[in-house]
């Protein structure tokens, strides 16, 4: 029986969810695709609740009201903080909200595949399942880079490097579901770049007033490694007046600061395999996650790895949805007998 | 046709992966008890399909290889080519590393091993959960490599003066870096890993050999050639340089070992089967990280994607032949070392 027929018969909505440290997205079988920033805010007190008019805020809305809400970024360092109920609640809220955004029909059953950072799955398997299971009828949890790999049909001889906010996740695919050995997580990722950029800018412009949020926005707008021709100037207030600042050198240094660890981990992971396999993986490296948007990062990595022979690095088309699209594909490919009621 | 075969393979992989996801999730909630079967019912329909596909594959294959059918029928027993230096068939379209290397007069400054070789470690590629590549008839790389390795071991043992070890004698999983580490721990003087290639897009048989070692450092090599190089450098530079020269020598040994294996494999297999492509020797990517300190090579002795090769590999006589060629490659390398040492001693005495 075709998956489509089942869908009609039982009225099932398949969803793929990418539960990220900074952004989470959903792709559904009704063609809806939505994303939010992975922030959850609960109004701090009754008055805030009256002012805001909601019981819970998400993403940028939560961030914008950060003074009057209890803010939570549940997977901050790629891991649910153990024992903190708030984080589990936040995961629950994010999932619930994402599913609402996918607009299921009221009678529809929801079958979900959720991709989470590799370390989260390693440490908080059960907690994640618990947090998600309230909002869905049946559920599979997988690691995020694996979902990306599956979605891109990179089932064999490939390496996916997912450069997110809190973590960079590596996942080698060799025709089976990746084991813990095939996956590795490092903390050199988007947040790390932000920290570096923040400290470089503080050093160079001690009198200018900027915060981490602004710094992240500078990065997302101008990020690059090696060389780009454009000048990079941004407006930062000094003594209350907006002043243009040249930040090109700092942006480059901050973005390049994650490269050594990236290159080292890549070679280390590939080196465990036989040379013939190494050659194949090296020609099939895919960058995903927000960090893959750094200009020149593909070429940088490729050139660094070329020292030992030919190599091909590419980037996913749509880093925001690559994970949730892959998770959705997995959900739709899953035989009906594997979907167990919760 | 090939693309249908590939798609079938891919579907299988996909099924296995999906089942893996399901089982992992059962494990998370503590429901998994490992009973989920591999639902392998070999239905008649399936068998028929396999047959049809096989016939078609053979048909395609013969078509593709028609130019090589000018070669005489395969010989059952191989006449091994051992005597050197054979005039190598020159194929201008396919220059290989090792020919240039062999004709290169620059010999390593010293031979680190040569006469001293006592322990040879043979590494049958893959094993256990890692099956390696698989032929269309289901032949697994891990089984063939183990069998060839055992035959090679028995052949080398007959000489009586080699201590021959294996990284595995059974069907078990060991990652590559562990294997090389094992070679170091057991103080092996030579390390040879046996593998089979897979090239789905080309129905040919290719032979290639990888050698292990640190990246060759052109600067260091140049420095080594300058007699008074040391004087311009500080002590620490000098120390580092000496280390690097040592590494470079190791690399050259591995390269020469690889050349010897490749030459013996290729010429003999070409002679035996009438067709084979020489892909030469290559430095294995990244092995710099593996800390190899003995001459180490990895030989792709055959190509499992090639149907004829797969059938041959399933015969004892062919596996024995391959072991024989590897043996010849090893001895060739060791003898060359001796001859060269011999020559060196002569010139030194004068
Ligand atoms: N254009 C860009 N250049 C560099 N970094 C970016 C860009 N766009 C987004 N990012 C960074 O990517 C990270 C978010 O990536 P994402 O894959 O969504 O992470 P996660 O999966 O951890 O939620 C953040 O650190 C963000 O600042
Ligand atoms: Mg992500
Ligand atoms: Zn192999």
């Amino acid at each position: 029986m075709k998956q489509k027929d089942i869908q009609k018969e039982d009225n099932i909505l398949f969803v793929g969810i990418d539960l990220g440290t900074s952004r989470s997205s959903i792709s559904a079988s009704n063609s809806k695709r939505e994303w939010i920033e992975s922030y959850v805010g609960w109004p701090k007190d009754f008055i805030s609740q009256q002012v805001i008019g909601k019981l819970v805020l998400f993403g940028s809305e939560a961030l914008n009201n950060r003074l009057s809400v209890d803010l939570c970024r549940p997977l901050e360092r790629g891991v649910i903080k153990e024992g903190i109920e708030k984080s589990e609640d936040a995961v629950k809220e994010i999932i619930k909200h994402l599913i609402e955004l996918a607009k299921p029909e009221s009678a529809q059953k929801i079958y979900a595949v959720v991709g989470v950072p590799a370390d989260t799955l390693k440490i908080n398997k059960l907690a994640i399942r618990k947090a998600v299971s309230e909002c869905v009828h049946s559920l599979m949890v997988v690691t995020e880079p694996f979902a990306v790999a599956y979605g891109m049909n990179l089932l064999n001889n490939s390496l996916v490097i997912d450069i997110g906010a809190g973590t960079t996740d590596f996942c080698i695919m060799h025709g089976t579901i990746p084991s813990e050995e095939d996956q590795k997580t490092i903390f050199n990722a988007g947040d790390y770049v932000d920290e570096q950029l923040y400290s470089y800018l503080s050093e160079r412009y001690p009198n200018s007033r900027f915060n981490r949020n602004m710094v992240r926005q500078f990065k997302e707008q101008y990020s690059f490694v090696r060389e780009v021709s454009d000048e990079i100037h941004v407006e930062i207030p000094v003594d209350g007046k907006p002043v243009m600042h040249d930040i090109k050198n700092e942006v480059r240094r901050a973005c390049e600061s994650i490269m050594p660890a990236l290159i080292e981990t890549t070679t280390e992971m590939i080196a465990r395999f036989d040379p013939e396999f190494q050659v194949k993986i090296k020609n099939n490296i895919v960058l995903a996650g927000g960090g893959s948007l750094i200009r020149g990062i593909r070429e940088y990595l490729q050139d660094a790895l070329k020292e030992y022979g030919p190599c091909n690095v590419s980037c996913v088309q749509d880093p925001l949805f690559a994970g949730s699209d892959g998770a959705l594909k997995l959900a739709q490919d899953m035989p009906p007998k594997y979907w167990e009621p919760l | 046709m090939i693309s249908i075969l590939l798609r079938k393979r891919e579907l299988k992989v996909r099924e296995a992966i999906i089942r893996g996801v399901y089982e992992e999730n059962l494990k998370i909630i503590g429901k998994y008890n490992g009973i989920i079967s591999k639902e392998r019912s070999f239905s008649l329909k399936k068998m028929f399909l396999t047959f049809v596909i096989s016939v078609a594959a053979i048909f395609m294959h013969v078509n593709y290889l028609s130019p090589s059918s000018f070669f005489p029928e395969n010989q059952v027993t191989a006449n091994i080519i051992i005597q050197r230096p054979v005039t190598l068939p020159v194929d201008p379209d396919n220059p290989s590393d090792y020919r240039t290397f062999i004709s290169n007069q620059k010999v390593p400054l010293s031979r680190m091993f040569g006469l001293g070789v006592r322990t040879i470690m043979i590494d049958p590629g893959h094993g256990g959960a890692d099956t390696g590549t698989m032929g269309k008839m289901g032949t697994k790389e891990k089984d063939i490599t183990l069998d060839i390795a055992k035959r090679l071991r028995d052949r080398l043992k007959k000489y009586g003066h080699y201590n021959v070890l294996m990284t595995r004698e059974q069907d078990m999983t060991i990652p590559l870096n562990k294997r090389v580490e094992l070679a170091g721990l057991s103080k092996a003087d030579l390390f040879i890993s046996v593998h089979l290639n897979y090239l789905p897009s080309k129905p040919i048989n290719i032979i290639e050999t990888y050698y292990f070692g640190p990246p060759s450092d052109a600067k260091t090599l140049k420095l080594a050639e300058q007699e008074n190089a040391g004087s311009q450098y500080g002590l620490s530079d000098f120390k580092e340089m000496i280390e690097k020269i040592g590494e470079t020598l190791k690399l050259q040994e591995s390269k020469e070992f690889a050349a010897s294996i490749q030459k013996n494999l290729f010429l003999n297999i070409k002679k035996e089967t009438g067709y084979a492509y020489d892909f030469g020797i290559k430095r294995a990517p990244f092995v710099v990280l593996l800390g190899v300190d003995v001459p180490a090579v990895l030989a792709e002795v055959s190509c499992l994607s090639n149907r004829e090769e797969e059938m041959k590999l399933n015969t004892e006589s062919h596996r024995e032949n391959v072991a024989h060629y590897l043996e010849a490659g090893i001895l060739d390398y060791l003898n060359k070392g001796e001859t060269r040492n011999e020559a060196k001693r002569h010139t030194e005495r004068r």
Side-chain angles (χ1 to χ4, degrees):
Chain A
M1 190 160 33
K2 290 256 168 59
Q3 198 71 256
K4 267 202 188 116
D5 304 334
I6 298 164
Q7 208 173 309
K8 252 187 225 134
E9 250 170 48
D10 293 355
N11 202 7
I12 292 166
L13 181 70
F14 292 97
V15 299
I17 293 176
D18 167 6
L19 190 60
T21 55
S22 92
R23 280 157 228 228
S24 297
S25 58
I26 187 165
S27 303
S29 54
N30 61 6
S31 306
K32 287 253 165 11
R33 280 160 114 222
E34 299 286 343
W35 70 276
I36 57 170
E37 286 184 86
S38 310
Y39 287 95
V40 179
W42 292 276
K44 274 182 182 153
D45 44 46
F46 184 72
I47 296 177
S48 318
Q49 198 181 304
Q50 292 301 306
V51 174
I52 294 168
K54 284 179 189 165
L55 288 173
V56 53
L57 298 182
F58 296 96
S60 45
E61 207 184 347
L63 269 180
N64 294 339
N65 288 290
R66 67 178 147 298
L67 294 181
S68 45
V69 299
D70 225 356
L71 202 62
C72 180
R73 192 182 174 194
L75 303 177
E76 185 115 40
R77 300 214 32 133
V79 173
I80 285 195
K81 284 152 232 143
E82 199 85 51
I84 299 179
E85 250 174 56
K86 198 170 110 184
S87 295
E88 263 184 65
D89 286 344
V91 170
K92 221 178 283 173
E93 294 290 357
I94 289 173
I95 298 284
K96 208 167 93 191
H97 187 60
L98 282 172
I99 289 175
E100 275 164 16
L101 289 175
K103 301 216 162 57
E105 294 162 23
S106 57
Q108 248 174 344
K109 280 187 181 167
I110 292 163
Y111 286 6
V113 170
V114 180
V116 298
D119 263 20
T120 316
L121 197 57
K122 213 150 90 192
I123 301 166
N124 312 96
K125 285 189 179 90
L126 212 53
I128 286 280
R129 273 195 68 102
K130 232 173 67 198
V132 177
S133 55
E134 279 185 22
C135 325
V136 300
H137 297 86
S138 191
L139 163 71
M140 307 269 174
V141 190
V142 297
T143 68
E144 179 54 27
F146 168 73
V148 172
Y150 190 87
M152 297 186 63
N153 227 350
L154 298 167
L155 305 180
N156 213 347
N157 304 329
S158 59
L159 167 64
V160 173
I161 307 175
D162 181 358
I163 311 168
T167 61
T168 295
D169 288 340
F170 296 76
C171 177
I172 287 194
M173 295 292 295
H174 49 90
T176 56
I177 178 167
S179 65
E180 280 189 14
E181 277 230 312
D182 302 321
Q183 306 189 61
K184 193 163 178 181
T185 298
I186 59 174
F187 294 114
N188 302 72
D191 291 348
Y192 182 86
V193 173
D194 297 351
E195 271 166 49
Q196 297 302 109
L197 185 54
Y198 186 85
S199 72
Y200 294 149
L201 290 179
S202 312
E203 209 173 287
R204 179 158 172 200
Y205 302 113
N207 301 319
S208 310
R209 308 271 305 159
F210 49 84
N211 59 34
R212 291 194 151 70
N213 226 6
M214 288 163 69
V215 165
R216 182 164 53 95
Q217 281 166 17
F218 298 155
K219 176 196 73 177
E220 290 180 8
Q221 190 163 359
Y222 298 110
S223 64
F224 76 101
V225 291
R226 290 218 287 223
E227 204 38 71
V228 287
S229 53
D230 44 336
E231 303 276 296
I232 301 179
H233 294 286
V234 295
E235 233 178 58
I236 304 176
V238 181
D239 298 328
K241 284 179 224 123
V243 175
M244 289 309 266
H245 292 64
D246 170 17
I247 62 165
K248 184 169 181 177
N249 207 20
E250 285 69 25
V251 169
R252 196 196 59 236
R253 275 174 66 205
C255 291
E256 287 184 353
S257 71
I258 59 169
M259 296 312 292
L262 227 73
I263 292 162
E264 199 187 308
T265 310
T266 303
T267 41
E268 212 176 81
M269 287 198 69
I270 299 180
R272 294 188 1 254
F273 294 92
D274 297 315
E276 81 245 46
F277 193 62
Q278 292 182 17
V279 172
K280 287 178 190 161
I281 303 174
K282 276 179 63 189
N283 280 293
N284 220 352
I285 299 178
V286 177
L287 296 177
S292 68
L293 294 170
I294 295 174
R295 287 176 289 167
I297 192 169
R298 187 191 73 78
E299 294 82 358
Y300 193 116
L301 184 63
Q302 187 169 287
D303 289 351
L305 298 174
K306 265 202 178 134
E307 195 184 324
Y308 304 92
C311 161
N312 183 45
V313 182
S314 57
C315 292
V316 297
Q317 289 285 327
D318 188 353
L320 205 46
F321 290 104
S324 54
D325 285 352
L328 173 61
K329 182 163 184 231
L330 191 51
Q332 288 177 311
D333 287 353
M334 194 68 64
K337 62 180 173 192
Y338 288 170
W339 289 109
E340 300 200 341
L342 293 169
Chain B
M1 204 68 215
I2 294 275
S3 74
I4 288 180
L5 281 171
L6 278 179
R7 217 170 302 144
K8 268 197 82 169
R9 246 175 107 84
E10 203 199 289
L11 271 176
K12 260 205 175 135
V13 168
R14 188 180 297 274
E15 267 169 32
I17 286 178
I18 289 176
R19 192 171 53 236
V21 169
Y22 170 60
E23 289 174 2
E24 283 284 297
N25 274 270
L26 282 186
K27 266 183 217 159
I28 296 176
I29 51 176
K31 266 199 198 163
Y32 182 67
N33 44 19
I35 303 176
I36 296 125
S37 67
K38 285 180 195 152
E39 43 196 73
R40 282 265 156 83
S41 63
F42 204 77
S43 65
L44 265 179
K45 199 173 131 208
K46 205 166 167 185
M47 217 149 97
F48 177 71
L49 193 67
T50 318
F51 177 73
V52 170
I53 289 174
S54 318
V55 169
I58 292 176
F59 181 68
M60 279 234 13
H61 192 80
V62 168
N63 254 351
Y64 188 93
L65 283 176
S66 52
S68 56
S69 50
F70 293 116
F71 285 100
E73 215 19 283
N74 305 341
Q75 287 148 287
V76 181
T77 46
N79 247 334
I80 195 150
I81 306 170
I82 285 188
Q83 67 289 34
R84 252 177 330 117
V86 197
T87 34
L88 296 164
V90 179
D91 175 4
D93 293 333
N94 189 14
S96 70
D97 268 3
Y98 79 83
R99 265 176 234 149
T100 10
F101 184 77
I102 285 174
S103 57
N104 192 345
Q105 292 305 304
K106 231 191 287 163
V107 174
L109 295 174
S110 76
R111 245 201 194 247
M112 306 176 85
F113 304 97
L115 283 173
V117 171
R118 282 277 164 276
T119 304
I120 301 172
M121 180 161 267
I122 308 170
D123 171 44
H126 310 275
D130 171 16
T131 51
T133 60
M134 211 197 311
K136 292 168 193 115
M137 303 180 335
T139 311
K140 291 176 186 140
E141 181 180 0
K142 63 172 185 178
D143 299 329
I144 300 292
T145 58
L146 182 58
D147 184 82
I148 293 176
K150 281 181 174 166
R151 289 170 193 276
L152 176 59
R153 175 197 57 194
D154 296 344
R155 284 181 161 273
L156 291 171
K157 272 195 166 165
K158 279 200 192 120
Y159 293 91
H161 50 269
Y162 298 122
N163 176 24
V164 191
L165 303 174
M166 310 248 290
T167 53
R168 67 179 179 97
E169 303 203 21
Q170 286 146 7
D171 188 14
M172 59 197 281
T173 319
I174 317 170
L176 181 68
N177 48 355
K178 276 276 160 337
R179 294 167 194 251
V180 181
E181 213 177 283
L182 224 57
L185 286 176
S186 56
K187 303 221 161 46
D189 302 306
L190 279 185
F191 177 88
I192 177 167
S193 185
V194 181
H195 283 254
L196 305 178
N197 237 319
Y198 196 90
L199 248 157
S201 52
K202 294 189 195 107
I204 54 175
N205 183 26
I206 63 173
I207 312 287
E208 62 185 334
T209 305
Y210 289 92
Y211 57 95
F212 297 78
S216 54
D217 183 337
K219 199 174 111 212
T220 314
L221 260 180
K222 225 170 133 200
L223 285 178
E225 283 163 7
Q226 297 170 353
E227 269 180 286
N228 61 346
S231 56
Q232 312 160 24
Y233 292 86
L235 194 63
S236 63
D237 290 336
F238 193 64
K239 226 176 110 196
E240 190 186 320
M241 210 176 70
I242 296 278
E243 271 163 20
K244 279 204 173 152
I245 290 172
E247 304 243 287
T248 307
L249 287 180
K250 275 182 238 154
L251 180 70
Q252 286 190 1
E253 289 298 328
S254 286
K255 203 168 171 183
E256 208 165 316
F257 184 23
S260 183
I261 295 286
Q262 174 70 10
K263 187 187 80 179
N264 277 283
L265 266 178
F266 171 67
L267 290 181
N268 284 298
I269 287 177
K270 176 120 186 173
K271 186 171 173 231
E272 181 193 331
T273 65
Y275 61 88
Y277 282 75
D278 179 7
F279 273 37
I281 62 171
K282 299 177 178 131
R283 195 171 69 223
F286 294 153
V287 275
V288 58
L289 297 163
L290 298 179
V292 194
D293 49 9
V294 300
V297 303
L298 183 149
E300 306 272 2
V301 301
S302 174
C303 200
L304 251 190
S305 46
N306 180 318
R307 201 181 165 80
E308 263 165 55
E309 275 301 302
E310 181 177 7
M311 293 203 281
K312 269 208 213 82
L313 285 166
N314 275 299
T315 66
E316 237 176 77
S317 64
H318 187 62
R319 295 196 300 269
E320 189 65 41
N321 285 342
V322 173
H324 192 180
Y325 308 149
L326 288 172
E327 173 198 3
I330 292 171
L331 291 186
D332 217 9
Y333 164 75
L334 294 176
N335 290 336
K336 227 184 284 171
E338 276 178 43
T339 334
R340 211 167 296 151
N341 274 354
E342 207 56 39
K344 211 168 152 219
R345 272 194 290 278
H346 274 298
T347 43
E348 271 163 8
R349 227 174 281 146
R350 252 185 251 160

